[in-house]
Amino acid sequence: MKHQWKAILFFAMATILIACKKTTPDTIAQRNNIFTQTLKNIKRSEPVLLSFDVGNNASVVNWQVLPNSDYTISKAGVYASFTFTKAGSYTIIASTANKQATYIITVNDSTYTNNLDTAFSLQAAKLLDILPNEAIAFTAKNSNANSFVWSASGNVSVANTTTNPAIFSFSNGKTATIKVTSGGNIRSRTVWLKDSLQSASMETSPFMFGDKLIITPSVTKDLLGNKTLVLTAKTNFNYQSNTDSVLSVITTGSEGYTISYGGVLMASVPTSNVTAPNAVNKFDSLGTGTHPFYVNFGNKTLVGSVTLTAAGVFSFDWKNNNDVTIYPLTVQ
């Protein structure tokens, strides 16, 4: 079972909640411990989403984990998602300047399994902040046990496809795309290199666990009446500012059209005016007919189709789910 826990704290309620004050292992400062929550039966590698909202988006939330080992964390704004690699009991303290919340996490010894695709999947060990010549593992899975054929685009410095996971590294550039085919099916993963995104005021974040994409199609016309399909995607969660954006790239080929959303490029420091990150992509070479349409959302792949009629109508065959929603399905 996946877990999401969200605490929204309103200052008007502070006098009521302070009655829940407890002693915590925080040795840095004495803060109001607003509440303590216990989460049991978490599996190893199971994502856990926590949040701590004190009503001020510009407040920096600090996360302290005791013991400080055997876990990973991704954080943005009021959110942080955790995975644990070892069974045991963990205490997580979320804090601002003068308030905190305490989570007691119990991790059991079973392992969480996330089936990203029903029959065929490709998972990159890392999607963002790839260093020059850093070895990245790409794991392909196929329930039909067909062989895999690998290919890559970008400045590839190492490619070892004799094993699964396959290992690739990249010398430089902004992005690189790894593609694997098996039994007529195809999956791809685009990774973003660190050097191309470096900025003192910006940093990258994976999509928060439980986040989703809402894609809104539209159509633009040039002076000659030629139409272009435009896809505007935004996240369900806010991250850190009103200038945050979704990292995205389009790839096309004989196998269809793919748009990959890798994560969020966000402000390094939270600001008070926060809006959901978005990305705008254009398909200006979509031909008449029906084409396979792939959406890569982090390490997940969703498959549908897009059709352009001779009358200039674009329509999607798409099963909306908890990950990616497309609406409306028809535009012209």
Side-chain angles (χ1 to χ4, degrees):
M1 179 182 294
K2 301 177 182 178
H3 293 269
Q4 302 183 41
W5 290 80
K6 184 173 183 179
I8 302 177
L9 310 181
F10 294 96
F11 289 112
M13 299 176 61
T15 56
I16 298 174
L17 295 175
I18 288 174
C20 298
K21 182 177 179 180
K22 296 179 181 293
T23 302
T24 74
D26 183 4
T27 60
I28 298 175
Q30 293 298 317
R31 305 182 183 91
N32 291 335
N33 191 68
I34 304 301
F35 67 89
T36 298
Q37 285 187 346
T38 300
L39 287 74
K40 297 181 178 180
N41 296 320
I42 305 299
K43 297 179 180 180
R44 289 184 293 113
S45 300
E46 179 178 4
V48 178
L49 177 68
L50 305 178
S51 67
F52 188 62
D53 188 348
V54 295
N56 180 3
N57 292 330
S59 295
V60 176
V61 179
N62 297 300
W63 300 88
Q64 180 183 9
V65 182
L66 300 171
N68 189 26
S69 62
D70 304 308
Y71 71 94
T72 61
I73 178 175
S74 296
K75 54 185 179 179
V78 302
Y79 298 101
S81 59
F82 297 84
T83 58
F84 300 90
T85 59
K86 185 178 179 179
S89 179
Y90 298 83
T91 299
I92 299 177
I93 300 171
S95 63
T96 58
N98 58 2
K99 287 182 171 59
Q100 72 176 36
T102 303
Y103 294 90
I104 309 299
I105 313 290
T106 302
V107 180
N108 61 40
D109 206 30
S110 57
T111 301
Y112 174 76
T113 300
N114 186 7
N115 296 319
L116 299 178
D117 287 305
T118 302
F120 186 23
S121 67
L122 175 63
Q123 186 167 18
K126 188 177 180 180
L127 292 170
L128 304 176
D129 293 338
I130 308 299
L131 296 172
N133 302 312
E134 178 181 1
I136 306 298
F138 293 82
T139 304
K141 296 181 180 180
N142 192 336
S143 61
N144 296 323
N146 291 321
S147 60
F148 301 111
V149 178
W150 298 85
S151 61
S153 62
N155 298 318
V156 178
S157 55
V158 171
N160 182 359
T161 61
T162 59
T163 61
N164 188 13
I167 305 297
F168 290 87
S169 64
F170 316 96
S171 58
N172 53 52
K174 181 178 180 180
T175 63
T177 299
I178 302 303
K179 187 183 300 181
V180 61
T181 59
S182 178
N185 296 312
I186 185 170
R187 293 291 183 268
S188 66
R189 287 288 173 265
T190 295
V191 298
W192 277 259
L193 277 65
K194 184 176 182 64
D195 287 350
S196 67
L197 301 173
Q198 281 187 333
S199 169
S201 61
M202 304 295 292
E203 62 185 39
T204 60
S205 169
F207 294 112
M208 288 292 100
F209 169 67
D211 204 354
K212 64 183 295 183
L213 279 182
I214 301 94
I215 299 177
T216 304
S218 60
V219 175
T220 62
K221 292 183 181 180
D222 62 19
L223 295 176
L224 299 177
N226 298 312
K227 294 183 176 181
T228 297
L229 178 64
V230 180
L231 299 181
T232 302
K234 70 174 183 178
T235 61
N236 190 49
F237 290 170
N238 293 338
Y239 284 70
Q240 301 214 135
S241 79
N242 65 345
T243 61
D244 298 345
S245 60
V246 175
L247 294 168
S248 63
V249 65
I250 287 175
T251 54
T252 62
S254 58
E255 68 278 356
Y257 294 82
T258 301
I259 184 165
S260 297
Y261 301 100
V264 174
L265 182 63
M266 65 184 188
S268 299
V269 179
T271 63
S272 58
N273 51 342
V274 182
T275 57
N278 68 83
V280 179
N281 298 94
K282 297 181 179 181
F283 288 90
D284 52 10
S285 59
L286 192 69
T288 303
T290 298
H291 315 274
F293 180 67
Y294 302 87
V295 173
N296 292 330
F297 178 41
N299 257 317
K300 300 176 182 178
T301 297
L302 298 100
V303 184
S305 65
V306 57
T307 299
L308 173 60
T309 69
V313 178
F314 298 87
S315 61
F316 290 88
D317 181 2
W318 189 261
K319 294 181 179 179
N320 292 331
N321 61 14
N322 290 328
D323 295 314
V324 177
T325 297
I326 299 178
Y327 182 82
L329 292 175
T330 301
V331 291
Q332 58 183 315

